[in-house]
Amino acid sequence: HGPIAAVTRGIPVIVLDVPGPVHSDVSSLSPELCDRGAQVIVVSSAAQADIRLPDDMPEALAPVAAVVRAQQLARALSLRMGFDPDSPAGLSKVTAT
């Protein structure tokens, strides 16, 4: 039940594992996601992370660095899929009034 129930074989899951109070819960979630067959991508300062964050980042700033890495990942994925992230379909930067 809940979000974990949506995780099935082949579903990509990005795990943002930053230092702080939730670290132990998040790090224990990754093996469970793998057991469900998810394609887990870990964003962390840990040596085994798929996408590395700086080691010396203060806890309060770690989520900011994680979000920047997620944006970089979204851009790379968009380009790889043949999309132009600077000109998304259906989006106009000008509002007609």
Side-chain angles (χ1 to χ4, degrees):
H1 146 294
I4 196 76
V7 177
T8 58
R9 185 156 304 285
I11 295 289
V13 178
I14 299 172
V15 175
L16 301 176
D17 189 3
V18 296
V22 299
H23 168 71
S24 62
D25 290 336
V26 172
S27 62
S28 67
L29 179 63
S30 294
E32 182 179 346
L33 294 169
C34 288
D35 289 345
R36 290 177 164 268
Q39 296 175 351
V40 178
I41 300 167
V42 177
V43 180
S44 168
S45 59
Q48 67 274 18
D50 298 300
I51 300 173
R52 291 286 312 269
L53 296 175
D55 292 337
D56 56 354
M57 180 78 50
E59 179 183 333
L61 296 179
V64 176
V67 167
V68 170
R69 288 288 194 224
Q71 289 172 330
Q72 291 170 331
L73 178 61
R75 181 181 184 280
L77 181 59
S78 176
L79 292 172
R80 184 172 184 131
M81 294 177 70
F83 297 112
D84 181 356
D86 293 321
S87 298
L91 179 66
S92 173
K93 293 184 180 187
V94 177
T95 303
T97 57

